[in-house]
Amino acid sequence: MERVRIGVEASEIIDFDAPFFLFPVRHHSPVCSYHLKSVIKRYRPEIILIEGPENANDLIPVLTDERTSLPAAIYYYYKDKKKYISDDAQDYKCYYPFLYSSPEYNAIKAAKELGIKAEFIDLPYSEILINTAKGRGLLENEKRTIADDTKLAKGDFYKALCDKTGIRDFDEFWEKYFEISGLFESDEEFLAALHTYCLISRRQTSTEEMTADATLAREEYMAANISEALKVHKKVLVVTGGFHSYGLYERLKRGGEFKKKKLHIVPADCTGCFPAAYSYEAADAMKGYSSGMRAPFFYDSVYRKLEESAEPDGVYDDLTLEFLIKGAKACKERDIAVSIADVTAAETMKGGLAALRGIRESGLYELFDAVTSTFIKGEKNLSSSVPVELVSKLLTGDGVGHIGDSSHTPPLIADFEAQCTALGLRADTAVPQEVDAALFTTKKGLPLSRFMHRMKFLETGFAKRLKGPDLTSGRDRNRVREIWKYRRSPAVDSALIDHTTDGFTIEEACINLAAKRLLGERRAESAAVITVDCFLMGISVDDDLSLVTNILASDGDFFSVGTALYYFQMLYDLQGIYRYQGVNIVSQINTAFSKLISALPTLSDIPDEQADGVIRIMRQMYDLTGGILTSRRDELFNSLITLTSAGKKHPAVYGCAMGLLYAFDAKYQHNAELAMQGYLNGALSVKKQGADYLRGLFTAARDIVFSDNDFLRMTDKLITNMDSDDFMEILPSLRLAFAAFTPREIQHTAAAVAELYDMENESILDKKAVDEGLFIFGRALDDEIMKAIEGGA
């Protein structure tokens, strides 16, 4: 296929003498920018109109500001509080990116140079969303960019072209027949080919689809704006995505009065837009950007080279060679063997592939194929394909843009910078810094900590805690200092702009985000972690307690509610020293306690792996009734009585319950002893359960050991009545039973054991243990010697 066939219908759109000139583009295409620059010189418009939400018109000077460097973007947001889109009242956001190769950017840049006006003419972002059907257009998988070229790479026409030309995909087809070949065509030839391709793609798209994704509503609005401009200007240049060109042409050709669509009333604080730094990586089609081109830095480099060159000859050949050499250097830095001979072979191959494929110069795909064939040694696999990945990264680019006009700083970034200044943090450098937050001994310590936790909660990447108390994991709770590492990178600004839909200050964004997460949460444990985050951030979300209360009420997982209770108790203990004035934590503790107390009697017989968790929660509940929840002691006591009366009982949980009853009332020692006697008098399997019973008992009431030594005697009886193998089986439980004993209690226990065996206390504690097998062998040997002596006598 020599080129896309020029159609009569497409050719009639191109008229340099007409009052309006429709210029079709693929977003971020160098060849479109190249011909657009030429058309502007020839057509000499009085105004340039550009596809893009019109509510960003005041930001056009920011994009063309000499201090602004690309990639940059316009960030749009919309809060659907009036539920125009759905009853979910969700928040929406997206970007409109600009690269140096973007035709839209070059249009506004040319307008500035000519001293004429440039305007965006599309529906506002909120209106596009409102006119879009569910799951279509910008509402399909929450698209993050407003530009969309995907219709050009859909349908049977595109597939037939690829089959006929033997090309692998749309991007490769586009580069061959438009990006490279188009540079050597006249404006008329290039535009006719592009109009034809877009027109055929449009005819393969149903009216239903164009209605559902708001294409027709947008075109009606853009046509009305063009019509308004034609009343004032004699020559109007219109730059839009190629898919829209014919739709606009048909409307404008019909003429007549255009009735501009009445827009929905949206509160001022629910919609807006800001200029934002963007990155080449985010603009890469391979990273999910629907209208992006693969390797955006490569194509940006193509356009910048075109601007420097008098003629397009050699631009692609020279650039692909440059990136080939850069790729070889990158491989050398990674100790990957790529020789000069490999580079020479790759250069020869990419040129040969271009000739074989009928391309005037070697492009991106010839470069990739040449690198794959010459830089990879042996079979291609994950490890050997590193050279291709390195070259791909170079072609994608790692640059981040910068917005030069600070007067248009988004509110969250402005608040961030103001707080950094107030707290003495450096927000003007990307070099990592460290800061020490003395939580309770300096005036600035707690506010600094809360700010860092807020930035962490918003996932900005700004702050990382190196040392300090970790309340979520329960580690280092007694530390009184936090050490943070922080760094302002472009990603920090991007993350803050993304959270503009959550609020206009850092605090407001954190409050709203925490509330959203609580609304979407079903597990009490996770809700409690969010509450801990709010505690650390010094914010209050659930003032009426309805959110967490509902989660606790609906969560049927005993362990999830038990973990939540642990977090609430911890926050209660710390709220004074952290000067937290948030929600009524006691109320949350009561709610969790009520949920647990009703479930506790049903947990008498549980799997072994859950026993320790139940014991931990039972101990915590008992501790609470000794302090915060004194009035609920009787409830817990009765619940434990019910649990111990159950038919089947896990020995460790049963032991813990008996220990807690003894802690409530010492007279229950007798009941605990009777239960232990039952284990001792049972079969071997029951005796083994006695060790678990002791583990649970001693976990809840260690002092029961020292009351009258009865439990030590029973423990001794349990051990001495077992052979070696059975003893080794119960040893882990016995170790755990005594694990919580303090050094003083261990000494006390040793003294009691020594008394049982009429030994010295020190010998129990200090004497080295004798191997049991050796002891048995020695005793048997002693018996044999005594028999021999007695026989000799």
Side-chain angles (χ1 to χ4, degrees):
M1 179 178 176
E2 291 301 318
R3 61 190 314 282
V4 177
R5 187 178 301 278
I6 297 176
V8 176
E9 292 179 282
S11 299
E12 69 185 29
I13 304 177
I14 307 163
D15 185 354
F16 282 87
D17 297 318
F20 64 88
F21 192 104
L22 297 172
F23 192 97
V25 302
R26 182 185 179 189
H27 303 290
H28 317 306
S29 162
V31 72
C32 289
S33 290
Y34 179 76
H35 282 288
L36 175 61
K37 190 174 180 181
S38 173
V39 166
I40 290 172
K41 286 181 180 178
R42 292 175 60 186
Y43 185 65
R44 301 191 65 79
E46 295 178 9
I47 188 172
I48 300 177
L49 305 180
I50 303 157
E51 176 189 342
E54 65 178 6
N55 52 319
N57 276 326
D58 61 330
L59 299 181
I60 289 177
V62 181
L63 295 171
T64 56
D65 190 304
E66 292 179 355
R67 296 165 295 175
T68 295
S69 58
L70 305 186
I74 297 173
Y75 170 87
Y76 297 89
Y77 70 90
Y78 170 60
K79 302 178 181 181
D80 191 31
K81 288 183 179 179
K82 287 202 167 186
K83 301 181 180 180
Y84 289 134
I85 298 174
S86 72
D87 291 335
D88 296 333
Q90 292 181 337
D91 296 339
Y92 301 88
K93 53 198 172 187
C94 80
Y95 290 91
Y96 186 177
F98 297 89
L99 309 181
Y100 290 106
S101 59
S102 303
E104 298 88 344
Y105 171 74
N106 285 289
I108 62 176
K109 183 181 174 186
K112 181 180 180 180
E113 292 170 353
L114 292 171
I116 63 175
K117 200 170 183 180
E119 290 182 350
F120 294 123
I121 57 171
D122 205 346
L123 282 169
Y125 173 59
S126 57
E127 204 67 30
I128 296 175
L129 292 169
I130 294 168
N131 280 274
T132 301
K134 184 178 180 181
R136 310 293 283 274
L138 287 178
L139 296 179
E140 180 184 0
N141 301 323
E142 297 184 6
K143 285 187 177 178
R144 299 295 301 275
T145 52
I146 205 159
D148 190 357
D149 286 327
T150 54
K151 289 188 181 70
L152 301 182
K154 285 183 177 179
D156 297 333
F157 173 57
Y158 142 68
K159 294 175 183 176
L161 284 176
C162 288
D163 290 341
K164 186 174 179 63
T165 56
I167 288 177
R168 288 165 287 195
D169 56 32
F170 170 74
D171 286 319
E172 187 176 357
F173 169 84
W174 175 268
E175 184 184 72
K176 177 180 178 179
Y177 289 105
F178 287 100
E179 290 299 337
I180 298 177
S181 295
L183 291 176
F184 304 97
E185 296 174 337
S186 68
D187 295 330
E188 288 84 353
E189 289 174 327
F190 173 77
L191 290 173
L194 183 51
H195 273 309
T196 299
Y197 183 92
C198 294
L199 175 57
I200 297 173
S201 297
R202 185 182 180 94
R203 284 179 175 170
Q204 292 206 320
T205 307
S206 68
T207 302
E208 182 276 330
E209 183 177 344
M210 289 191 287
T211 301
D213 65 10
T215 294
L216 298 183
R218 293 172 62 191
E219 289 176 355
E220 194 68 34
Y221 197 79
M222 287 192 281
N225 275 327
I226 297 168
S227 178
E228 288 293 318
L230 286 169
K231 294 176 183 178
V232 181
H233 304 284
K234 293 180 181 179
K235 280 197 162 185
V236 177
L237 178 67
V238 183
V239 180
T240 66
F243 190 85
H244 296 298
S245 295
Y246 201 76
L248 292 172
Y249 179 73
E250 283 188 318
R251 285 174 170 81
L252 294 169
K253 188 173 66 171
R254 287 197 302 264
E257 273 304 312
F258 285 87
K259 189 175 181 181
K260 203 167 183 179
K261 181 180 177 64
K262 187 177 180 181
L263 303 180
H264 291 76
I265 298 173
V266 177
D269 63 341
C270 289
T271 186
C273 53
F274 305 102
Y278 209 65
S279 69
Y280 280 113
E281 185 178 25
D284 188 359
M286 302 302 287
K287 302 294 182 182
Y289 175 27
S290 58
S291 290
M293 295 179 69
R294 186 178 182 183
F297 181 67
F298 171 76
Y299 287 114
D300 241 19
S301 301
V302 167
Y303 184 70
R304 301 186 87 165
K305 203 169 187 69
L306 285 169
E307 285 192 305
E308 298 167 2
S309 307
E311 295 293 335
D313 279 307
V315 167
Y316 272 88
D317 280 339
D318 291 346
L319 263 179
T320 49
L321 178 58
E322 284 181 26
F323 278 99
L324 190 60
I325 294 170
K326 289 178 182 178
K329 289 180 179 178
C331 289
K332 185 178 180 181
E333 291 171 0
R334 293 280 296 270
D335 294 325
I336 299 172
V338 175
S339 66
I340 296 176
D342 293 329
V343 176
T344 303
E347 165 67 4
T348 302
M349 177 170 283
K350 73 180 181 68
L353 287 171
L356 184 66
R357 294 168 179 172
I359 307 174
R360 182 158 178 163
E361 295 186 16
S362 51
L364 181 69
Y365 297 89
E366 287 68 50
L367 173 60
F368 270 123
D369 290 341
V371 169
T372 302
S373 297
T374 59
F375 283 16
I376 294 178
K377 316 300 182 191
E379 183 182 356
K380 183 180 179 182
N381 52 46
L382 285 175
S383 59
S384 67
S385 62
V386 173
V388 178
E389 293 174 9
L390 293 174
V391 173
S392 181
K393 286 182 179 179
L394 290 169
L395 293 164
T396 297
D398 59 1
V400 178
H402 169 72
I403 300 300
D405 187 352
S406 60
S407 64
H408 287 81
T409 302
L412 267 184
I413 293 180
D415 184 51
F416 161 75
E417 291 175 342
Q419 292 200 46
C420 283
T421 301
L423 294 168
L425 302 174
R426 292 198 61 185
D428 59 348
T429 177
V431 179
Q433 309 286 319
E434 276 193 18
V435 65
D436 188 334
L439 297 175
F440 316 118
T441 57
T442 64
K443 187 176 181 181
K444 190 178 75 173
L446 207 52
L448 174 59
S449 170
R450 286 173 174 170
F451 173 70
M452 291 300 200
H453 279 289
R454 290 173 185 180
M455 294 299 290
K456 184 179 177 185
F457 185 73
L458 293 176
E459 297 178 333
T460 63
F462 175 73
K464 180 181 180 181
R465 186 180 57 212
L466 302 179
K467 293 181 181 178
D470 186 345
L471 302 189
T472 304
S473 67
R475 293 194 298 268
D476 301 324
R477 278 179 48 182
N478 295 325
R479 286 182 179 268
V480 295
R481 291 169 60 242
E482 290 178 340
I483 299 177
W484 292 86
K485 178 181 281 189
Y486 69 94
R487 171 178 174 263
R488 185 180 185 178
S489 66
V492 174
D493 291 45
S494 298
L496 288 172
I497 291 174
D498 279 346
H499 283 294
T500 300
T501 54
D502 296 314
F504 288 168
T505 66
I506 302 292
E507 181 175 356
E508 183 184 352
C510 290
I511 289 172
N512 289 331
L513 182 60
K516 283 182 188 176
R517 290 183 180 176
L518 279 176
L519 282 169
E521 192 52 67
R522 294 293 177 267
R523 284 181 55 79
E525 178 180 353
S526 301
V529 170
I530 295 172
T531 305
V532 173
D533 288 333
C534 292
F535 180 91
L536 292 169
M537 292 187 287
I539 63 175
S540 176
V541 174
D542 192 19
D543 291 327
D544 62 359
L545 303 180
S546 61
L547 294 175
V548 173
T549 299
N550 290 339
I551 295 169
L552 287 168
S554 61
D555 192 351
D557 186 337
F558 179 85
F559 300 99
S560 173
V561 178
T563 303
L565 181 63
Y566 162 78
Y567 283 126
F568 296 147
Q569 182 179 1
M570 174 185 67
L571 297 185
Y572 176 84
D573 294 338
L574 296 175
Q575 63 181 342
I577 191 171
Y578 274 83
R579 301 195 291 278
Y580 182 67
Q581 302 296 324
V583 297
N584 183 355
I585 299 174
V586 174
S587 178
Q588 293 174 329
I589 291 173
N590 260 307
T591 302
F593 189 92
S594 297
K595 185 79 174 182
L596 294 170
I597 203 77
S598 62
L600 187 59
T602 67
L603 298 173
S604 59
D605 183 30
I606 59 167
D608 290 339
E609 61 271 15
Q610 294 181 345
D612 289 339
V614 174
I615 290 171
R616 173 182 57 79
I617 294 170
M618 289 167 64
R619 277 297 312 269
Q620 185 184 2
M621 294 171 71
Y622 173 78
D623 292 341
L624 284 168
T625 59
I628 307 171
L629 305 181
T630 306
S631 62
R632 307 196 67 172
R633 287 176 67 85
D634 289 344
E635 286 182 70
L636 180 59
F637 181 83
N638 293 330
S639 183
L640 291 172
I641 290 291
T642 304
L643 186 150
T644 57
S645 302
K648 292 185 67 176
K649 298 180 282 288
H650 188 283
V653 173
Y654 182 37
C656 180
M658 294 302 294
L660 292 176
L661 289 173
Y662 164 75
F664 273 118
D665 188 343
K667 73 180 184 181
Y668 278 88
Q669 177 179 344
H670 179 65
N671 300 65
E673 291 174 356
L674 289 177
M676 185 60 191
Q677 288 290 351
Y679 285 110
L680 290 175
N681 296 329
L684 180 60
S685 60
V686 176
K687 288 180 180 178
K688 290 179 181 179
Q689 292 179 357
D692 286 325
Y693 173 82
L694 288 175
R695 173 162 62 89
L697 181 71
F698 292 169
T699 300
R702 296 194 305 272
D703 61 323
I704 201 170
V705 175
F706 314 117
S707 58
D708 56 11
N709 288 345
D710 283 347
F711 273 98
L712 282 179
R713 292 189 181 92
M714 285 188 280
T715 303
D716 181 66
K717 182 179 179 182
L718 176 70
I719 294 171
T720 55
N721 285 349
M722 289 186 178
D723 60 27
S724 178
D725 290 339
D726 292 331
F727 171 73
M728 295 303 295
E729 187 177 333
I730 68 166
L731 183 59
S733 290
L734 287 174
R735 284 183 179 277
L736 289 172
F738 289 92
F741 281 53
T742 65
R744 184 177 183 84
E745 289 170 338
I746 290 173
Q747 287 184 337
H748 194 165
T749 303
V753 172
E755 185 179 344
L756 285 177
Y757 281 89
D758 196 21
M759 298 174 63
E760 294 293 331
N761 184 15
E762 289 73 13
S763 65
I764 293 289
L765 286 173
D766 300 332
K767 191 173 181 180
K768 282 189 176 183
V770 177
D771 181 85
E772 186 179 5
L774 183 61
F775 175 77
I776 293 172
F777 174 76
R779 188 165 61 181
L781 186 61
D782 284 345
D783 290 341
E784 291 299 322
I785 292 172
M786 290 303 298
K787 288 179 183 177
I789 292 172
E790 291 171 357

